[in-house]
Amino acid sequence: MSDKLNTWIKIQENSDFSIHNLPFGIFSTPGKSKRAGVAIGEFIIDLKQAQSVGVFSNMMIDSNVFANEFLNSFIALGKQTTSAVRERLQKQLCDESSPLKEFNPLVHMDDATMHLPVKVGDYTDFYSSIEHATNVGKMFRDPDNALLPNWKHLPVGYHGRASSIIVSGQDIHRPKGQTKPNDGPPVFGPSQRMDFELEMGFIIGKESQLGDPVSTENAEDYIFGMVLFNDWSARDIQKWEYVPLGPFLGKSFASSISPWVVTLEALEPFRVEGPNQNPKVLPYLEYSGLKNYDINLEVQIEPKTTNSTTTVSKSNFKYMYWNMAQQLAHHTVNGCNINVGDMMASGTISGKEPDSYGSMLELSWAGKNPVKLNDGSERKFLDDGDTVIMKGYCEKNGIRVGFGEVRSKLLPAK
Ligand code: MN
């Protein structure tokens, strides 16, 4: 593990955006359009301005990539360039004589609005937490035989909806749809079982060609970075519609992501071993090395009527049974190609303990055990006006790399 670096910028001890992180995002300021930035402490480095004062001298980067309203064209330059940009910034932030210090192309986060970091072409959602899949199987199918026969042989997933992926801070309306009461015909109306799903998403940084699978060994070359991902779910709509082709309108109305994309390079020190996979997987899903990441995750609910926030779940990305390399290898093994900006989400990340479950469905066990909030109220599922906040960070040897948060309020149905 590398030593702690010293920067000339004042950064709070517990900041997610330490000198070791330097995530990329898209921001705007009043009167100035969307552009690319890097987070450091409470500040955003305006990359185009940084380039204009010579921070990236000799790197031959087309400055247009920093002026676009999405990161796609920057990411498409390849890891060689994107990681060199991050390393150059890291160096300059530690160098007292840097033009970054002299010309100060920095914006305070309070003065900026964050936007969707990438134009998402395709979005796939996996189902890769064994604890989550087991809990759902116990509730809806067979308590003694919760996992379906395919689950330990392949990372189950479905094609989601890219158009409704939104950035933190954007509120959503409770969706309407068709549901089926136990004792009557289907009805139409607002979902009565609104839920979050605690997930992480990874963003594709390199395209593959149609017909060419990506191996587990090369998979991480195709991953630019990660975000927090709240995969909003309407459980009652989902329950009625999902047979036999899987999730549809119960999922497609919105998914919220955190605005800062944390690179795989920044997550490198936090690699850990994944769970033992038994039965043995087929050769194309075998992998070597540490492919899981130790990322602490947390979900909070803030009701509309109070300022009190309750932590309802604490989980960790390291629990994932299927890792990102396996997900990508499986996704492409049939020759399906991937593009820069594609989003792959993990599926709900639940841990073993009941307070580490990643959805209200599991936390309240389908509504049987209401969750108590600090203001004295109870939740089986989400109420109108509830704000859901997800946070994530890695910490090791005094070095912290975090994701900030994804926050979104559930408004009443339109
Ligand atoms: Mn999901």
Side-chain angles (χ1 to χ4, degrees):
M1 172 107 204
S2 59
D3 288 335
K4 218 171 165 175
L5 297 167
N6 283 314
T7 170
W8 43 262
I9 287 196
K10 263 216 161 74
I11 300 176
Q12 282 185 317
E13 188 73 23
N14 62 347
S15 174
D16 279 352
F17 307 121
S18 69
I19 182 72
H20 300 272
N21 191 352
L22 302 182
F24 293 87
I26 294 288
F27 74 104
S28 65
T29 43
K32 227 176 151 194
S33 58
K34 294 178 189 176
R35 54 203 189 271
V38 161
I40 178 79
E42 298 171 289
F43 295 92
I44 301 170
I45 304 169
D46 183 322
L47 293 180
K48 188 156 190 232
Q49 273 200 38
Q51 184 175 38
S52 71
V53 297
V55 171
F56 307 122
S57 58
N58 310 323
M59 291 179 73
M60 311 283 279
I61 300 165
D62 176 356
S63 67
N64 289 323
V65 299
F66 296 137
N68 287 339
E69 59 178 26
F70 293 109
L71 291 172
N72 296 51
S73 53
F74 170 66
I75 294 172
L77 296 175
K79 259 186 207 263
Q80 226 182 354
T81 305
T82 57
S83 67
V85 163
R86 188 176 156 271
E87 279 164 27
R88 176 70 65 91
L89 286 170
Q90 206 163 44
K91 228 185 206 154
Q92 301 271 329
L93 286 163
C94 296
D95 176 1
E96 294 280 349
S97 61
S98 163
L100 263 186
K101 191 170 184 191
E102 191 183 344
F103 297 103
N104 196 29
L106 277 75
V107 172
H108 198 278
M109 284 181 177
D110 290 345
D111 301 327
T113 303
M114 296 306 299
H115 303 277
L116 209 55
V118 289
K119 172 109 183 117
V120 182
D122 277 302
Y123 152 48
T124 300
D125 195 21
F126 286 94
Y127 189 58
S128 289
S129 152
I130 194 165
E131 289 81 9
H132 172 68
T134 304
N135 286 339
V136 173
K138 275 185 191 167
M139 273 183 264
F140 291 128
R141 285 181 297 270
D142 180 355
D144 303 318
N145 214 354
L147 289 180
L148 286 165
N150 60 3
W151 201 91
K152 285 187 170 180
H153 294 279
L154 56 89
V156 169
Y158 70 96
H159 292 293
R161 186 77 198 160
S163 66
S164 53
I165 293 180
I166 55 177
V167 76
S168 176
Q170 193 175 337
D171 299 333
I172 65 160
H173 287 272
R174 181 180 293 270
K176 288 191 248 183
Q178 221 187 95
T179 58
K180 165 90 171 60
N182 286 335
D183 51 1
V187 295
F188 177 80
S191 166
Q192 301 300 310
R193 296 194 149 202
M194 263 299 289
D195 202 353
F196 57 79
E197 288 190 332
L198 170 63
E199 305 196 15
M200 297 212 63
F202 66 87
I203 291 167
I204 296 299
K206 179 180 165 182
E207 65 172 28
S208 70
Q209 300 305 311
L210 186 69
D212 293 345
V214 173
S215 66
T216 55
E217 197 188 335
N218 297 332
E220 289 183 341
D221 297 343
Y222 290 79
I223 302 174
F224 174 69
M226 299 185 71
V227 290
L228 299 166
F229 195 98
N230 178 0
D231 189 23
W232 297 100
S233 298
R235 299 299 179 195
D236 42 0
I237 298 173
Q238 182 184 357
K239 192 180 177 194
W240 173 227
E241 74 176 357
Y242 89 104
V243 183
L245 288 186
F248 190 31
L249 304 185
K251 299 281 187 176
S252 62
F253 58 93
S255 302
S256 302
I257 66 169
S258 53
W260 292 107
V261 186
V262 176
T263 63
L264 276 203
E265 290 78 30
L267 295 171
E268 189 62 37
F270 308 102
R271 285 179 184 273
V272 287
E273 211 171 317
N276 181 36
Q277 295 184 324
N278 182 25
K280 201 164 131 60
V281 298
L282 287 168
Y284 81 94
L285 289 169
E286 284 174 4
Y287 69 95
S288 58
L290 305 175
K291 290 280 192 281
N292 279 47
Y293 292 83
D294 185 356
I295 306 172
N296 301 292
L297 299 169
E298 185 175 340
V299 186
Q300 299 173 338
I301 295 178
E302 188 183 280
K304 131 182 108 170
T305 46
T306 61
N307 291 323
S308 83
T309 299
T310 306
T311 297
V312 293
S313 175
K314 280 190 171 183
S315 187
N316 195 304
F317 187 59
K318 71 182 176 190
Y319 300 142
M320 301 302 294
Y321 188 87
W322 297 102
N323 59 54
M324 295 185 284
Q326 291 178 308
Q327 290 170 339
L328 207 48
H330 184 65
H331 202 309
T332 58
V333 75
N334 64 347
C336 172
N337 54 327
I338 49 172
N339 287 306
V340 171
D342 284 357
M343 178 78 71
M344 311 279 172
S346 57
T348 308
I349 305 161
S350 294
K352 285 190 170 53
E353 305 305 322
D355 60 0
S356 66
Y357 295 166
S359 63
M360 289 304 290
L361 177 71
E362 295 162 270
L363 289 166
S364 76
W365 208 255
K368 285 193 189 74
N369 312 318
V371 175
K372 278 202 171 59
L373 302 188
N374 292 337
D375 67 354
S377 64
E378 288 187 340
R379 293 288 182 284
K380 294 174 177 170
F381 291 92
L382 295 170
D383 280 1
D384 288 347
D386 284 349
T387 298
V388 176
I389 305 151
M390 295 178 178
K391 300 180 185 213
Y393 69 93
C394 311
E395 203 158 34
K396 191 176 170 187
N397 301 334
I399 288 173
R400 180 164 168 135
V401 168
F403 289 78
E405 62 178 29
V406 53
R407 162 193 296 263
S408 186
K409 190 188 269 191
L410 176 63
L411 302 173
K414 264 188 183 170

